[in-house]
Amino acid sequence: MARNNEIPEVNAGSMADIAFLLLIFFLVTATIQTDMGLDRKLPPTDTTPPIHINERNIFRVSLNKNNELFVEDDRMQMQDLKDAAITFLDNGGTMVGNENHCNYCLGERSSSSSDNPNEAIIAFSSDREAAYGTYILVQNELTAAYNMLRNREAQRLFKSDFTEMEKAYFDSKTSAKTKSELKENINQIRSMFPMSLSEAQTNMNF
Amino acid sequence: MKNYRKTKNRFPAISTASLPDIVFMLLFFFMTVTTIKNNTLLVDNNLPNAKEVKKLEKKDRIIEIFVGKPSRELVEVLGTEPRIQLDNKLANVNDVAPYVLSELSKKPDAIRNLVTVSLKVDKDVKVGIVSDIKEELRKVNLLKVNYTTYEGNAFTNIK
């Protein structure tokens, strides 16, 4: 007993200091990953000969060098772009009985706008002098239009938001079985409203 | 008996032995959730905001390209024209294609066709330089791009 008392305890007090130092070092040098953004696919260079597309199936959006938005040659406010894109995509102009008829579209079915979401193309061109922030805003609004329509159909068919389904699909924690189910559903929605956003060559002469 | 009385009179010290364990736990938490900054930015990189964003999950499948005005210390040397930063050095538009190809060759075969190019472009940059980069990427057939943004209200991009 007497001998036991003489052995001094190892002083661990400074261990905390060392650990704190390490912790602070990592806090300073590291960043929490915040990478997120808008995914796009660029068109390949070897373009097949141009297919004839009806003018009513193209929704022309352009941005000039003063960051002003033009839709089909008319000036438009940024706030109205999303709704205009939705109206265009959701139009479903082909009549009942035609094989191209869009039975899930809720639009105006105007004959001067898109025939079917599968054929509707949004062509976005931007002047080289436009600001990148505005460019992203337009991209964001157009994505929002697609997402809104896709969410609507996903709610109707699968009682879930399309964006939520996609998020679950890309989540590594989701099991393989649910993933294959989700993939089928996602592909179905995607085929209903395919994202055809063409970014034509940027033009100088505006 | 004597011994017992002696210990009882002494004020017991609070044990701090578990404090390092707690701190180490915090340390490991931070080490796992964060990524170390591996390149110093030579350009301003104030990304635009967007709402309809998707997360870029896998860090190993990304090639980053930074575009922006040279940072404040470099303005005197380089001027205010937007520049492209590849890895740790500033580059021209025609360096983009060789750079992405060399980065691509470093990746394992299995993920090569899943590689996304993350365009980290300052919001005050003109679209022209971005479309030049996209044109270069199309030439080398790297078609998956991501306009990297912050999450937020996109309308704050226009002042």
Side-chain angles (χ1 to χ4, degrees):
Chain A
M1 275 306 250
R3 194 166 160 255
N4 205 7
N5 280 344
E6 280 163 31
I7 294 176
E9 216 177 292
V10 178
N11 186 10
S14 55
M15 181 100 133
D17 300 352
I18 296 163
F20 265 121
L21 224 79
L22 272 171
L23 176 67
I24 289 161
F25 169 74
F26 268 96
L27 277 173
V28 171
T29 57
T31 45
I32 294 177
Q33 188 162 2
T34 50
D35 274 2
M36 46 180 81
L38 303 164
D39 278 326
R40 285 290 179 277
K41 200 147 193 211
L42 302 175
T45 26
D46 51 328
T47 39
T48 43
I51 324 150
H52 179 70
I53 304 162
N54 256 326
E55 189 55 43
R56 65 169 178 276
N57 280 325
I58 304 176
F59 185 71
R60 293 189 189 277
V61 182
S62 55
L63 207 58
N64 76 359
K65 64 171 187 282
N66 300 322
N67 296 328
E68 290 163 334
L69 177 73
F70 286 84
V71 172
E72 312 278 16
D73 297 330
D74 296 321
R75 183 82 206 275
M76 190 182 266
Q77 290 302 309
M78 285 290 177
Q79 285 81 356
D80 306 326
L81 177 61
K82 183 180 164 188
D83 289 330
I86 290 172
T87 320
F88 165 76
L89 291 169
D90 203 24
N91 181 53
T94 320
M95 285 301 127
V96 190
N98 193 315
E99 59 173 316
N100 245 341
H101 178 67
C102 167
N103 52 8
Y104 51 85
C105 294
L106 303 175
E108 290 162 3
R109 310 208 173 269
S110 141
S111 57
S112 58
S113 190
S114 79
D115 290 334
N116 188 301
N118 287 314
E119 288 176 27
I121 290 170
I122 296 181
F124 173 36
S125 62
S126 163
D127 191 274
R128 290 182 65 91
E129 291 295 304
Y132 182 69
T134 324
Y135 175 85
I136 287 295
L137 171 59
V138 174
Q139 291 275 14
N140 182 61
E141 291 309 291
L142 296 175
T143 321
Y146 276 108
N147 277 348
M148 191 254 142
L149 289 168
R150 284 173 167 184
N151 281 346
R152 190 189 75 195
E153 289 312 306
Q155 277 294 355
R156 184 170 67 86
L157 296 170
F158 311 115
K159 302 272 173 289
S160 157
D161 267 357
F162 177 77
T163 38
E164 292 299 316
M165 281 158 66
E166 252 186 348
K167 207 182 271 174
Y169 179 71
F170 288 115
D171 195 347
S172 50
K173 289 195 277 293
T174 318
S175 69
K177 190 170 166 285
T178 27
K179 266 195 181 179
S180 66
E181 273 172 35
L182 274 173
K183 185 162 194 179
E184 215 169 276
N185 295 350
I186 287 173
N187 282 343
Q188 191 186 336
I189 300 290
R190 276 190 185 156
S191 68
M192 288 165 99
F193 284 105
M195 188 152 179
S196 29
L197 214 167
S198 123
E199 276 178 61
Q201 299 281 312
T202 47
N203 44 350
M204 295 282 272
N205 44 356
F206 210 96
Chain B
M1 225 19 197
K2 194 187 171 192
N3 194 16
Y4 169 71
R5 200 184 290 154
K6 199 176 166 189
T7 49
K8 211 194 171 189
N9 286 347
R10 240 192 300 165
F11 196 74
I14 298 165
S15 169
T16 55
S18 56
L19 192 62
D21 300 353
I22 298 163
V23 179
F24 269 118
M25 228 152 76
L26 267 172
L27 177 66
F28 290 139
F29 169 73
F30 274 100
M31 281 172 73
T32 47
V33 298
T34 59
T35 49
I36 294 173
K37 266 184 224 159
N38 47 4
N39 34 16
T40 43
L41 278 176
L42 301 170
V43 293
D44 278 350
N45 214 237
N46 188 10
L47 302 179
N49 290 313
K51 204 165 235 151
E52 313 289 326
V53 288
K54 273 186 211 158
K55 276 213 178 80
L56 277 171
E57 294 288 358
K58 305 225 167 55
K59 198 80 181 161
D60 56 332
R61 295 180 186 175
I62 289 169
I63 299 171
E64 285 175 323
I65 295 177
F66 300 91
V67 185
K69 279 187 196 131
S71 53
R72 211 184 307 152
E73 311 87 78
L74 293 168
V75 159
E76 283 178 27
V77 194
L78 298 165
T80 52
E81 255 325 274
R83 300 295 282 265
I84 303 166
Q85 183 183 353
L86 305 169
D87 217 359
N88 272 328
K89 46 188 183 291
L90 294 174
N92 290 321
V93 175
N94 38 5
D95 298 328
V96 170
Y99 170 75
V100 288
L101 287 179
S102 73
E103 284 294 301
L104 199 64
S105 62
K106 286 180 202 158
K107 314 247 182 235
D109 275 344
I111 61 166
R112 269 189 205 164
N113 53 350
L114 300 169
V115 167
T116 308
V117 179
S118 162
L119 294 172
K120 296 192 167 172
V121 183
D122 190 282
K123 64 177 165 194
D124 295 324
V125 166
K126 305 273 183 251
V127 177
I129 191 166
V130 184
S131 58
D132 289 343
I133 293 171
K134 286 197 295 193
E135 208 50 43
E136 289 291 311
L137 293 175
R138 278 179 67 191
K139 273 185 209 156
V140 294
N141 215 28
L142 254 162
L143 302 176
K144 285 173 80 171
V145 295
N146 180 289
Y147 302 121
T148 307
T149 60
Y150 297 133
E151 197 171 18
N153 186 0
F155 284 97
T156 51
N157 294 345
I158 39 175
K159 293 159 279 191

